[in-house]
Every structure is written in C-alpha cells, then in structure tokens.
C-alpha cells in the first residue's frame, strides 16, 4: 500500500544528481523548507538508481516482486483502497478568474488555493525522502517537447515516471542553466492518503501543478493528465497547437501506402486497444502500428496536422486484456511492467478478470485479501492498470521518436453509446467535425471515481482534461481548422452499440480494422457512402465484411442505422448541453446544430 514509507539512505553517487539551473534549485529549496523532508533525492533516471529504488520499495512493501520466470522484472503495487482512480471532483483549475477555467472545470482562486495547499504540505514529508524527478514530454528533438520537474514523496511515483516519461539526465541537460527557461513545476505529496485531503490543482499561468493526498495514476503521475493535457491544452492554445486525449496509430495498406490516424475516446473507451489493433486474417497485408495510446500533441506544418506522442510508456487498463482481445498489449506487459491493483496468484503471477485461461483456484485480490472464484468481489480492481515502456510494444511505430511527428490523415471521435450512434460516420467538413467532437457523449467508466455507465457529454474526450474555458477550446479548434490547407477528415465511431437484449452488436477489437479501412479509403477518395442527415455513412457494400462472424445482416443494418426518433432526442440534448455551458459556445457550433436539425426535417419531408 502506498502509505508513507520511511526515508531511505542511498549509497554515494545515487540521488545526488542536482541540476545546474538556479530556478530549479530555488524552487526545490522552497518546497524543502515547507515540507521538511528527512532528505532530498535527485533522480538521474539511471539503471543503478532504478535498481536501488526497487530494492527499497520491496523492503518497505511498496512493491511485491512477481515470479521472475512468469513476469520477469515485473512488480505489483497495491494502492490504498480509497484511492483507485482519478478524482474529478477534487481536480481544480486555478486561474485568476473563474471565467478562464470555464463552465466545465472546478475553479478555485489561486491565492487561496496556494495557501490551503501550503498548509497541507507544511511538514508533510517529515521522516520521508523527497524525490526530485526531472523529465521531458515528447521526443528529444521535437519543438513541442516540454520539460517538467516533479517533486514527490512516493517511490511508486518515481518508478512509474521512469516508465511513463523520458526521465532523468536527459531533462536536466535539456533545461540547461537559463533561469528563464520554460519548465513545469509539479509538487506531489501522499500526505496521509485521505480523500478529505485530496486535491489535484493546476495553476496554468504559473505552469505549476500541486497534487496532494493521492498515490494513484493520473492524480500523481503529473506528466500525464496534469501536464500533457490540462497545462498542455492551456499552453497549446497560447502557442497555436493542440494537446488532445488521443491515441495515434499508423496503418499501412497491402500496397504499402501508410496513413496516420488520431482518435479521441474517453477514458476506458478503447484507445489502447485501437492503437494496438491486429487486423483479422482476411486483412492480410494490412499493418497497424502504435505511435501513442493516450495523448497526442499536434502542430500545423505545410497546412497539415503533425502529431507526436509526448509519453514514453503506457498506463493501460488491465481487466479485459487477453491474447484474444489485445495480443500486442499482452506481449507488451510480459516483462518490465509495474502493475497496480491486479490480483496475485499463489505462484507469484498476476491475474485479472478477462485474462486468458481459467481463473486461479486461489489468489490474493487487489486489496490483499484471499480470493477464490466463488468470491463476490472482483480479484482485480476494474481500473487496475499496467505501466509498461512503449519499447515493449511489438508494433511500435518506427516514427515514434521522430521529432517532427507523423502527418494525420484522419481524426476519429468516439464514445460508449448503447444506442443512437452508428458504427461509423464521417463529418462533412472540419467545422461539422468540430461540432461532432464538441457534442460527443459516452457512458462513464471506472477510470474516474463516481457512477459507472452514466451517459455524459465529454467534448473531444477532454471534459476532465481541458485546462481552460471549454468555449475557448472549441474556438481554438475552429481557428485551427482555418489554418489547415490539408486538414484531416473527421469521423465518429461507436464500438459499443447494443441490441434490444443488451448485447454488443459489433465484435470490436481486431474487427475494428473493417471500419478503419473504410476511413482510410475515404481519405483516399476511393470508397462510397450514403449522405445522411448526420454525415456520410457507409452502406453495407462500402464495408469489407468478408469472413466477419457473429454479425447478421440485420444486426449490421442496426449498427449503421440512423434512428430519427433517437436523433431528435440527441439533438435536444446537444442543445441542453450547449445551454448548460452558459453562452460560451461559438455561434458557428450553434449554427451547426440548427443545420443538423434542419437536415433531419428535410430528410423526413423527402
Ligand atoms: P484510458 O487508459 O482510461 O484512457 O482507456 P482507453 O481509452 O485506452 O481504453 P482501453 O483500450 O484500455 O479499453 C478500455 C475497456 O474497453 C477495456 O475493458 C476493453 O476491453 C474495452 N474495449 C476496448 N476496445 C473495445 C472494442 O472494440 N469493443 C468492445 N466491446 N470493448 C472494447
Ligand atoms: C484516463 O483516465 O484517461 C487514463 C488513466 O488514461 S489516468 O492516467 O489515471 O488518468
Ligand atoms: Mn486516458
């Protein structure tokens, strides 16, 4: 459990890698005076340091070593049961005015928030080691790449940051000694891991993040949602680029033509799986490669959008991962993997619901209790995760380190919708695509605390991650479109439509290649579609459905159907959502809704 562990004393030369930059030194000193740690550990990201920290973590029960034969160099961490997911209700954007944070964010006044956090951090690291973790987000030679420093009192955070970011010496070198250089300040303390003292606060104007009271994932790996998305989106608007909650994949046709696609699905809605897709047998010669599985930073060059993955590893949902659903993920997590909140088998291996083979007769569940197949509780937490280096991925794209990024041919939005949304449709143009993204909705998942399965609007899958006013974010999308002479085509997909008896209509996973092929063919202008009120939809004959099993022609019609009644409700709900944002939505998008409603009227008349 990530309860506070005592300070550690490293051997000489480990933990003394101080940067030259006076601004960093001053800031670390300031936090030291406040938090009063027993000692300071300056990380360099070396193998030697990593081995030392793993050994300490094993001694202090922060990690459990897994069976070296079954899961080489892999470890299990159990987080506090009160701390197993992102906490949106405790996440704040602290801009000078509430209007800058906008209607979708929790806002709190920066001055008051700093004082409250200072109060909580006062003496918080007494008896503990304070780690300073330098890291960069993005390939080393990208102009988009950002530098961050995270101070933390959690070894689990340090070990995870080493997987998830390019950590250590590389960041210190890149920063250099210029006291005015741009870098992100991140302060994290576990405190006493109590939800009553759990706050994830962002100060975009100061490029600062302070996170207290949690030891889990997106709350504490400050590189990820906090920097790469919340602060990132704020910087992106200011600097004219896009920071998005999107996977990036490469897809190569048998003829050898390659496209890159970025896709925004909300948390636990299929990004990692789509990014590692293995095409079905029928698609021999097609190849899908992964650039990123969660976050895309995109800039305009030559009138096109070019994307880089700022991360260095995958923090993926474990349950449901199997050799059937995602063989590439299974290969990626065979070794060097840090698991959080999965079950431990009696032979020191990991197990979770949905893993291949029969469940173990006995295991220790994610809380550390005995578990058998008869137990009522799940063995692995539904939001249990793996952290694994992206270099483990057998289908890692060769351009993942390319600083100029990969050119994006298509952007896909998608969500978990049991009705209304067809399998796939294409926007008429960028502005219409922006509307589709702005109004997308999805069922909530276990990735955040709170109810699961509740439909909510989640614009561009960024509802929990947009670090400024959502109206300005929509405006930024519209303006970006105007600067693109060769914009990506925009699509919407739904792998999760259900039949009347509550079963998924679409097999998903590898078979999503059938939809991806149509998308690529649309980009190349060589496949047809039906022009419906909501956009271009493939007719049955436009999709390659050969050798598709388990979907009847009737089910296929249902998957592609636009039900006018459901869409009347949907459009009303778009209107309600825009209204709830209190007047920040750009008029172009209001107009898009009117056009959509009008297209339905004229199609029923026709
Ligand atoms: P975050 O890491 O939270 O951002 O999640 P993600 O968007 O990367 O989602 P991920 O790929 O991990 O999938 C989440 C859940 O959706 C898993 O339980 C998957 O098994 C399931 N899933 C993914 N793709 C499909 C699909 O095509 N069809 C169905 N039915 N389920 C899917
Ligand atoms: C998400 O919730 O979208 C995640 C997991 O990718 S976390 O890093 O915890 O935010
Ligand atoms: Mn995510």
């Amino acid at each position: 459990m990530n309860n506070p562990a005592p300070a550690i004393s490293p051997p000489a030369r480990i933990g003394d890698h101080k940067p030259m930059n006076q601004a960093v030194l001053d800031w670390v000193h300031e936090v030291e005076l406040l938090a009063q740690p027993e000692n300071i550990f300056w990380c360099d990201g070396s193998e030697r340091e990593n081995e030392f920290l793993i050994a300490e973590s094993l001694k202090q029960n922060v990690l459990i070593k897994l069976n070296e034969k079954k899961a080489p160099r892999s470890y299990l961490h159990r987080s506090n049961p009160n701390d197993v997911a992102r906490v949106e209700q405790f996440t704040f954007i602290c801009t000078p005015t509430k209007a800058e944070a906008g209607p979708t964010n929790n806002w709190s006044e920066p001055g008051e928030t700093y004082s409250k956090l200072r109060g909580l951090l006062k003496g918080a690291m007494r008896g503990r080691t304070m780690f300073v973790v330098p890291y960069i987000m993005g390939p080393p030679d990208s102009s988009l790449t950002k530098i961050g420093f995270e101070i933390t009192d959690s070894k689990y955070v340090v070990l995870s940051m080493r997987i998830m970011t390019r950590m250590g010496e590389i960041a210190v070198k890149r920063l250099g000694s210029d006291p005015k250089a741009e870098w992100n300040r991140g302060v994290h303390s576990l405190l006493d891991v109590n939800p009553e003292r759990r706050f994830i606060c962002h100060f975009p104007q100061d490029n600062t993040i302070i996170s207290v009271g949690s030891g889990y994932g997106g709350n504490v790996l400050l590189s990820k949602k906090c920097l790469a998305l919340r602060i990132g989106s704020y910087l992106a608007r200011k600097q004219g680029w896009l920071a998005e909650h999107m996977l990036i994949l490469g897809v190569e046709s048998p003829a050898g033509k390659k496209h890159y696609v970025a896709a925004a699905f909300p948390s636990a809605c299929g990004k990692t799986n789509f990014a590692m897709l293995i095409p079905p047998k029928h698609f021999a010669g097609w190849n899908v490669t992964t650039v990123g599985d969660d976050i895309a930073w995109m800039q305009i060059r030559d009138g096109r959008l070019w994307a880089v993955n700022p991360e260095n590893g995958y923090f993926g949902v474990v349950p449901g991962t199997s050799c059937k659903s995602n063989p590439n993920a299974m290969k990626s997590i065979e070794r060097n993997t840090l698991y959080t909140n999965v079950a431990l088998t009696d032979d020191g291996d990991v197990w979770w619901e949905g893993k291949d083979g029969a469940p173990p007769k006995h295991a220790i569940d994610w809380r550390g209790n005995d578990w058998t197949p008869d137990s009522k509780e799940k063995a692995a937490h539904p939001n249990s995760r793996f952290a694994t280096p992206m270099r483990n991925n057998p289908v890692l794209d060769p351009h993942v380190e390319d600083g100029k990024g990969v050119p994006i041919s298509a952007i896909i939005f998608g969500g978990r919708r049991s009705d209304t949304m067809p399998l796939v449709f294409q926007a008429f143009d960028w502005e219409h695509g922006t509307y589709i993204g702005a109004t997308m909705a999805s069922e909530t998942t276990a990735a955040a605390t709170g109810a699961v399965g509740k439909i909510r609007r989640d614009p561009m899958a960024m509802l929990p991650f947009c670090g400024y006013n959502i109206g300005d974010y929509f405006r930024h999308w519209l303006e970006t479109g105007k600067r693109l002479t060769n914009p990506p085509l925009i699509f919407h997909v739904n792998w999760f439509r259900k039949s009347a008896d509550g079963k998924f209509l679409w097999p998903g996973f590898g078979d999503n290649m059938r939809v991806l092929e149509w998308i690529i063919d649309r980009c190349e202008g060589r496949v047809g579609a039906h022009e419906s009120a909501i956009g271009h939809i493939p007719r049955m004959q436009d999709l390659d459905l050969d050798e598709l099993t388990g979907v009847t022609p009737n089910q296929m019609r249902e998957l592609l159907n636009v039900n006018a009644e459901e869409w009347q409700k949907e459009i009303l709900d778009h209107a309600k959502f825009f209204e709830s944002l209190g007047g920040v939505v750009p008029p172009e998008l209001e107009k898009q809704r009117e056009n959509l409603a009008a297209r339905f009227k004229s199609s029923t008349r026709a």
Side-chain angles (χ1 to χ4, degrees), residues 54-124:
I54 287 172
E56 289 298 310
S57 302
L58 293 172
K59 270 190 233 158
Q60 298 176 348
N61 295 324
V62 172
L63 293 185
I64 296 169
K65 175 147 179 62
L66 299 174
N67 183 321
E68 185 60 27
K69 287 217 175 72
K70 301 192 178 240
R73 297 179 300 283
S74 296
Y75 303 89
L76 167 64
H77 172 76
R78 296 192 188 116
S79 73
N80 193 307
N82 75 27
D83 183 33
V84 293
R86 281 185 296 104
V87 282
E88 297 180 1
Q89 72 278 30
F90 305 135
T91 299
F92 292 86
I93 302 295
C94 310
T95 42
T97 64
K98 188 172 191 317
E100 285 160 280
T104 55
N105 281 312
N106 298 315
W107 174 78
S108 72
E109 199 277 320
E112 282 169 24
T113 312
Y114 276 126
S115 344
K116 179 177 83 181
L117 292 168
R118 267 190 215 111
L120 290 167
L121 282 167
K122 197 166 175 206

Side-chain angles (χ1 to χ4, degrees), residues 493-550:
V493 300
N494 178 20
W495 313 142
F496 302 94
R497 197 162 182 171
K498 285 182 178 165
S499 58
D501 59 357
K503 295 208 175 82
F504 287 127
L505 285 161
W506 181 248
F509 302 100
D511 281 311
N512 294 335
M513 182 65 223
R514 300 171 190 277
V515 174
L516 184 57
E517 185 200 28
W518 181 76
I519 288 172
I520 295 307
D521 285 349
R522 290 298 288 175
C523 293
E524 298 203 346
R526 59 163 189 233
V527 69
H530 155 69
E531 191 177 321
S532 81
I534 66 169
H536 304 286
I537 297 190
R539 299 157 300 184
M540 248 23 152
Q541 67 267 33
D542 297 320
L543 290 171
D544 186 343
L545 301 173
D546 286 359
E547 296 173 32
L548 173 65
T549 50

Side-chain angles (χ1 to χ4, degrees), residues 8-169:
I8 53 178
S9 36
R13 294 202 319 282
I14 290 187
D16 66 355
H17 197 75
K18 267 192 202 180
M20 295 289 291
N21 194 296
Q22 197 56 45
V24 175
L25 296 172
D26 290 348
W27 166 72
V28 171
H29 189 58
E30 195 188 308
V31 179
E32 180 194 2
L33 288 180
L34 180 66
Q36 298 163 34
E38 182 81 18
N39 55 350
I40 304 186
F41 188 114
W42 298 85
C43 299
D44 65 3
S46 65
E47 192 52 52
R48 201 163 156 248
E49 170 184 284
N50 195 46
E51 275 167 23
F52 171 75
L53 290 177
I54 287 172
E56 289 298 310
S57 302
L58 293 172
K59 270 190 233 158
Q60 298 176 348
N61 295 324
V62 172
L63 293 185
I64 296 169
K65 175 147 179 62
L66 299 174
N67 183 321
E68 185 60 27
K69 287 217 175 72
K70 301 192 178 240
R73 297 179 300 283
S74 296
Y75 303 89
L76 167 64
H77 172 76
R78 296 192 188 116
S79 73
N80 193 307
N82 75 27
D83 183 33
V84 293
R86 281 185 296 104
V87 282
E88 297 180 1
Q89 72 278 30
F90 305 135
T91 299
F92 292 86
I93 302 295
C94 310
T95 42
T97 64
K98 188 172 191 317
E100 285 160 280
T104 55
N105 281 312
N106 298 315
W107 174 78
S108 72
E109 199 277 320
E112 282 169 24
T113 312
Y114 276 126
S115 344
K116 179 177 83 181
L117 292 168
R118 267 190 215 111
L120 290 167
L121 282 167
K122 197 166 175 206
M125 297 188 190
R126 267 186 211 139
R128 300 184 199 173
T129 298
M130 175 171 119
F131 298 92
V132 187
V133 181
Y135 64 95
I136 61 169
M137 295 303 281
D141 65 343
S142 170
S143 60
L144 286 177
T145 292
K146 302 285 180 208
I147 301 168
F149 280 79
E150 175 166 356
I151 290 176
T152 177
D153 55 7
S154 157
K155 280 181 285 297
Y156 167 74
V157 168
V158 180
L159 295 169
S160 302
M161 288 293 281
R162 188 167 188 270
I163 297 172
M164 295 304 297
T165 73
R166 294 164 176 91
M167 188 262 246
E169 176 68 13

Side-chain angles (χ1 to χ4, degrees), residues 60 70 78 102 111 180 183 379 443 463 476 484 512 543 555:
Q60 298 176 348
K70 301 192 178 240
R78 296 192 188 116
K180 291 207 178 63
W183 56 279
E443 290 167 17
L463 181 75
H476 184 46
L484 293 166
N512 294 335
L543 290 171
Q555 287 175 326

Side-chain angles (χ1 to χ4, degrees), residues 86 224-225 229 245 265-268 271 293-295 315 385 447 465:
R86 281 185 296 104
K224 194 174 178 60
K225 302 303 171 158
L229 288 178
H245 191 199
F265 310 156
S267 301
K271 287 182 300 302
D293 83 322
D294 198 47
I295 296 173
F315 187 63
R385 298 261 169 176
F465 309 120

